[in-house]
Amino acid sequence: MSSLEGLRTVAESLAWARAEIGAVDARVLLCHVTGWNAAALIARGDRPLSGPLAVRYEALVARRHQGEPVAYLIGEREFYDRLFRVTPAVLIPRPETELLVELALQQRGGFRQPRILDLGTGSGILAITLALEWPESNVCAVDYSRDALWVAMANAARLGASVSFIESDWFGALSADRFDLIVANPPYVALDDLHLQSGDVRFEPPGALASGQDGLDAISQIVAAAPPYLEEGGWLLIEHGYDQAAAVRSRLVDAGFVGVESWQDLAGIERVSGGRRMHHEPLA
Ligand code: GLN
C-alpha cells in the first residue's frame, strides 16, 4: 500500500485502488468517502483528494483488500430498489432473495389483509419490502439476534415501513398467532462447505449462513413447526441452497403441506420452495 506523500488526484487515487481491489469496488468506496456519484468522480478527476478523505479511502481500500465486504464498509446494500443499512450483525442482502418477495407478492389477489411473518429477518429486507409493497398487510418479523433486530428496526424506521419486531428463535416466542404467509431466508449452508471459508461470507454472521451437517437443520425445524402458525390455505415460502429443493419439498410434504412446489431464481436455480397448509378434519 502507498503513503500519502504528495496528494493524489481523484483519478490517481482511483487508479491506485483499482489495482488493489478492482474497478467497481474502487469506485463504490470512493463515492462513499467523497459523497460524490460516479459521474462526479470522473468530472473532478484532476482535483487533489484532500488529506482526510485520502486517509479514509486508503483505510477502506486496505480493508477491502483483506476481504471485508463492500456492503459492510459502506454500511448499505440495495434490495428490491431500496437501500438497506447493513452491519456485520446481519447477512448482506442477495439478489436471489428477491424471488421470495416476488412469490409472496403473487399472493396479493388471494388475501385481503394478510398477516405475514418473516422468520430470521436479519436486516429486515423481506419484512420491510413486503410491508411497503403490500400496504394492506400486517407484517411481523422475528430474529434471535438482538443486534440484527436493531438493524432491522432502523431500516423499517428509515424506509417508513410498519413492521412489528419480536426477539424470537424461530417460532419460540410467538404466542398462538396464525399467519396467512410465512417467509424465511434461514441459514442453509452445510457447516463444512468450503464456500464459508473464502470471500465475503467469512465476515458474515455464521449463524445466518450455516445450519448443520447438510445445511438443512433450520429449514427442517421451520417446516415441521410451521403448520400450527398458519391459517388454513396459508403459505410457507422458504429460500434454500442450490441443491436442496427436493429435500425441502419432501419435508414440506411430510409436514402435511399441499401444492408443494419449487421456483427458480434468475440464474435458473431452484431457490425457493413452499406449500400451503390445508386443514384436514380428523376422522371421527
Ligand atoms: N446464499 C447464501 C450463500 O450462499 C446463503 C444465505 C443463507 O444461508 N440464507 O452465501
Side-chain angles (χ1 to χ4, degrees), residues 41-107:
L41 292 186
I42 295 169
R44 299 167 190 172
D46 51 10
R47 290 198 198 174
L49 191 63
S50 79
L53 292 187
V55 169
R56 282 189 59 204
Y57 189 46
E58 293 203 7
L60 287 180
V61 171
R63 287 169 65 186
R64 179 66 192 134
H65 192 70
Q66 296 300 315
E68 278 188 65
V70 170
Y72 291 154
L73 295 175
I74 65 175
E76 61 188 24
R77 175 54 47 96
E78 194 178 290
F79 180 80
Y80 216 81
D81 291 335
R82 295 185 183 88
L83 270 182
F84 287 82
R85 305 258 330 140
V86 295
T87 74
V90 300
L91 193 78
I92 297 166
R94 289 156 163 70
E96 59 267 29
T97 303
E98 295 191 348
L99 173 62
L100 209 38
V101 172
E102 300 285 358
L103 291 168
L105 293 179
Q106 278 174 20
Q107 298 306 318

Side-chain angles (χ1 to χ4, degrees), residues 97-138:
T97 303
E98 295 191 348
L99 173 62
L100 209 38
V101 172
E102 300 285 358
L103 291 168
L105 293 179
Q106 278 174 20
Q107 298 306 318
R108 269 187 289 206
F111 301 96
R112 277 167 46 85
Q113 292 181 311
R115 299 203 60 212
I116 301 177
L117 172 66
D118 176 17
L119 288 171
T121 194
S123 58
I125 53 169
L126 287 173
I128 292 166
T129 304
L130 290 174
L132 293 172
E133 297 291 327
W134 197 347
E136 302 78 26
S137 68
N138 191 316

Side-chain angles (χ1 to χ4, degrees), residues 91 94 96 185-189 195 201 204 208-210 239 271:
L91 193 78
R94 289 156 163 70
E96 59 267 29
N185 175 18
Y188 54 69
V189 181
H195 160 70
V201 291
E204 293 184 285
L209 283 165
E239 180 175 320
R271 180 59 69 183

Side-chain angles (χ1 to χ4, degrees), residues 196-212:
L196 295 174
Q197 286 162 36
S198 64
D200 290 16
V201 291
R202 289 171 299 156
F203 294 84
E204 293 184 285
L209 283 165
S211 190

